[in-house]
Amino acid sequence: MSAGGKGGSGGRPRSPGKQAAGTRRAASGGAAKRPGGKAPAPASAREVALDVLVRVEQQGAYSNLLLGSSLQKAELGREDTGLATELVYGTLSRMITLDYVLGGFVSKGLAKLEPWVRGLLRLSLYQIMYLDRVPSHAAVNEAVNIAKRRGHQGISGMVNGVLRSVLRAGELPVLPEGLSREERISILHSHPLWMVQRWSEEYGPDTAEAMCAANNEPPAVSVRVNTTMTSRDALLAELAASGLDAVESEISPFGLVIRGGGNLALSSWYRDGYLSVQDESSMLVAEAVAPGPGMKVLDCCAAPGGKSAHMGELMKDQGLILANDLHEHKAKLIAEQAARLGLECITTATGDALKLAESLPPASYDRILLDAPCSGLGVIRRKPDLKWRKQPEDVAGIAALQRELLQSVSRLLKPGGVLVYSTCTTEQAENSGVVAGFLERNPDFASVSFQSPVWERLKGTALAMGEGIQLLPHHYGSDGFYIARLQRLS
């Protein structure tokens, strides 16, 4: 089964934060000429961002994938690449707040505007409200110039008028009296009201607000050290010697957090297998599985392979890991990860995780990891599109699949063995609800989540939700994750 909502290292990269507006610069390599011999103007950071935002809204494109390909084509400089990245993810993250503010200044309503005009107003307002080092006049002037190039004088005049009215209005947004706490959180922190209400019911309004605020912050860049090749201390020293600002992860003994280090997936350390890019919360899962050398391990929904690889490292590449995924091309990614890291204990398989119990011998694995497909609401910081794509009914639908998966793969675990159920979501219907139902139906299983070193390290902050451990995005600035460790008694 493909882990459709799984988190890990994918999605939104850390932006460079609040920065000066990049000047428009020519893309290297030259541009195709227009008929008549005149080369088109090179794309600016704002124009690249605008194109991505429009296609995300109109075509349902995934922002992280589209932004990556768009930046490659545009060949912007480093500063402009950072600005375009900030504009795309920041505008998507703050959509409700931006639309609420603009609604007070666009007389005919945002919905009646052409999509590119609506996108232009949003990304321009984002700069005015949230990017301290982007001068407001620069944001307005560039918006007017883009409007002139793409539209006509009437549109550019409207854009100019709206944005200058915003500048004169002072502190925004201004909320009316009488709103509920959840409505205020929804507007101020730009999350769908149903999501805020759900989190308020599960965790309380203060925690719900903290979760929403954390989701709007850029994610940290964290890497997992391949301990079959080096130690964390040794790699930390190497990174520091190269001028990178790196610190030990607070929550994973295998992790390092890189501050302002760029894309380490392009580094020689990555190519040579010394590190993998992975979120800190995600690193805890393999540690909870606690596989030892010589064990036989099943990773049911393994793509893109980060947790399988981490388990292989913990096993010192001794034993067998069967890393399964529904899709052949994703299984290939797992094999490539294993080869890069020098791990020979990982074998890949392609198939539906629901049918693994039909093709594999019962009670044949010492450890099983079910990193289940989920709503993914713990990784909104990396994938802000999720806020607008998900609906309340999605949670109930995926929980039914999770229950079926857990019941099915549990038959493959040896007596005395450990099964770890994990998700990158914050929804207890998908987390403690699934595990509680499983334990009720299966008295030969018991929770051992709170006997794990992971819990001992995090229990002052992480939540004990039912029979598992729940990390929320504001706890450590990492992804929201749920981890339950279940042992088969007989």
Side-chain angles (χ1 to χ4, degrees):
M1 187 69 199
S2 173
K6 288 166 72 171
S9 62
R12 178 183 181 182
R14 172 174 282 278
S15 80
K18 298 184 176 183
Q19 56 180 292
T23 56
R24 297 178 68 244
R25 59 189 72 180
S28 60
K33 291 190 175 182
R34 293 174 178 158
K38 185 178 180 182
S44 69
R46 293 174 177 87
E47 286 170 315
V48 170
L50 177 57
D51 286 336
V52 171
L53 290 169
V54 171
R55 290 175 64 186
V56 167
E57 181 182 35
Q58 295 299 110
Q59 302 171 15
Y62 289 97
S63 60
N64 58 316
L65 301 178
L66 182 56
L67 178 61
S69 61
S70 298
L71 289 173
Q72 276 190 322
K73 291 175 185 175
E75 297 181 298
L76 300 175
R78 181 175 178 179
E79 185 176 314
D80 282 357
T81 293
L83 179 58
T85 301
E86 174 68 36
L87 292 179
V88 168
Y89 288 123
T91 302
L92 286 172
S93 293
R94 301 285 185 173
M95 193 85 75
I96 287 179
T97 313
L98 299 173
D99 284 3
Y100 180 84
V101 171
L102 288 169
F105 296 95
V106 179
S107 57
K108 65 178 184 179
L110 280 177
K112 294 183 179 179
L113 297 177
E114 290 185 62
W116 74 265
V117 179
R118 185 165 55 245
L120 179 60
L121 287 173
R122 284 170 174 164
L123 73 84
S124 302
L125 180 60
Y126 176 75
Q127 294 167 82
I128 292 170
M129 290 183 65
Y130 297 106
L131 296 189
D132 293 343
R133 291 175 56 197
V134 174
S136 296
H137 65 83
V140 174
N141 290 341
E142 183 65 12
V144 171
N145 289 335
I146 292 173
K148 286 178 180 177
R149 289 193 294 272
R150 295 195 176 209
H152 52 73
Q153 190 170 356
I155 291 177
S156 64
M158 184 276 291
V159 168
N160 185 53
V162 167
L163 296 177
R164 294 200 180 280
S165 295
V166 166
L167 293 180
R168 291 192 295 269
E171 191 72 23
L172 294 168
V174 177
L175 302 186
E177 297 292 330
L179 293 180
S180 68
R181 174 82 184 273
E182 288 79 9
E183 287 171 327
R184 293 180 68 85
I185 293 171
S186 174
I187 295 170
L188 289 174
H189 298 290
S190 195
H191 279 63
L193 182 58
W194 72 264
M195 209 175 280
V196 179
Q197 291 170 334
R198 192 180 191 102
W199 293 344
S200 289
E201 290 170 5
E202 290 192 342
Y203 301 109
D206 289 344
T207 297
E209 184 162 16
M211 291 168 67
C212 292
N215 283 341
N216 289 328
E217 294 297 320
V221 173
S222 53
V223 299
R224 185 189 77 247
V225 179
N226 182 357
T227 51
T228 68
M229 291 189 174
T230 188
S231 68
R232 184 166 75 164
D233 287 345
L235 186 58
L236 180 61
E238 278 193 45
L239 294 172
S242 297
L244 292 175
D245 184 6
V247 296
E248 294 179 349
S249 167
E250 186 180 353
I251 64 176
S252 170
F254 308 98
L256 295 171
V257 178
I258 317 298
R259 298 182 289 210
N263 186 358
L264 284 182
L266 301 177
S267 70
S268 60
W269 295 294
Y270 181 89
R271 289 193 301 273
D272 295 339
Y274 288 94
L275 60 81
S276 296
V277 179
Q278 188 178 18
D279 181 78
E280 293 173 90
S281 293
S282 181
M283 295 178 204
L284 300 174
V285 176
E287 187 184 357
V289 176
M295 283 188 178
K296 191 176 178 184
V297 180
L298 172 63
D299 189 349
C300 303
C301 308
K307 298 178 186 70
S308 290
H310 192 189
M311 289 190 291
E313 293 163 6
L314 294 177
M315 294 164 65
K316 304 186 187 305
D317 201 25
Q318 300 171 27
L320 173 67
I321 297 173
L322 180 61
N324 176 78
D325 196 80
L326 180 63
H327 301 287
E328 189 172 343
H329 71 279
K330 291 188 175 181
K332 185 179 178 182
L333 291 177
I334 301 169
E336 290 171 353
Q337 283 266 45
R340 180 181 64 82
L341 295 165
L343 299 171
E344 298 179 355
C345 66
I346 297 175
T347 300
T348 61
T350 302
D352 187 339
L354 282 171
K355 298 180 180 178
L356 286 172
E358 299 173 11
S359 59
L360 298 173
S364 56
Y365 286 90
D366 300 293
R367 297 285 188 270
I368 294 177
L369 171 58
L370 176 57
D371 189 41
C374 67
S375 62
L377 297 185
V379 298
I380 287 174
R381 179 193 277 115
R382 297 182 186 280
K383 301 178 180 180
D385 319 34
L386 283 172
K387 288 193 283 191
W388 323 124
R389 295 180 189 274
K390 297 296 181 180
Q391 299 298 325
E393 56 269 21
D394 295 338
V395 173
I398 200 71
L401 171 62
Q402 292 161 342
R403 288 192 293 270
E404 195 175 356
L405 278 167
L406 182 54
Q407 186 64 50
S408 178
V409 303
S410 67
R411 289 179 279 170
L412 297 170
L413 189 66
K414 292 179 181 179
V418 170
L419 185 158
V420 167
Y421 174 84
S422 64
T423 73
C424 59
T425 191
T426 55
E427 306 311 293
Q428 293 313 310
E430 302 177 63
N431 295 341
S432 58
V434 170
V435 171
F438 173 79
L439 291 174
E440 286 178 11
R441 294 188 301 272
N442 297 272
D444 56 331
F445 278 80
S447 170
V448 289
S449 301
F450 307 117
Q451 299 170 26
S452 166
V454 171
W455 176 247
E456 287 302 311
R457 194 160 59 250
L458 304 183
K459 64 182 178 182
T461 302
L463 306 178
M465 298 301 289
E467 298 294 344
I469 303 166
Q470 180 70 64
L471 275 170
L472 298 177
H474 65 289
H475 283 158
Y476 295 98
S478 56
D479 292 344
F481 244 89
Y482 180 82
I483 303 169
R485 197 168 188 263
L486 310 175
Q487 186 170 34
R488 185 170 184 175
L489 305 176
S490 61

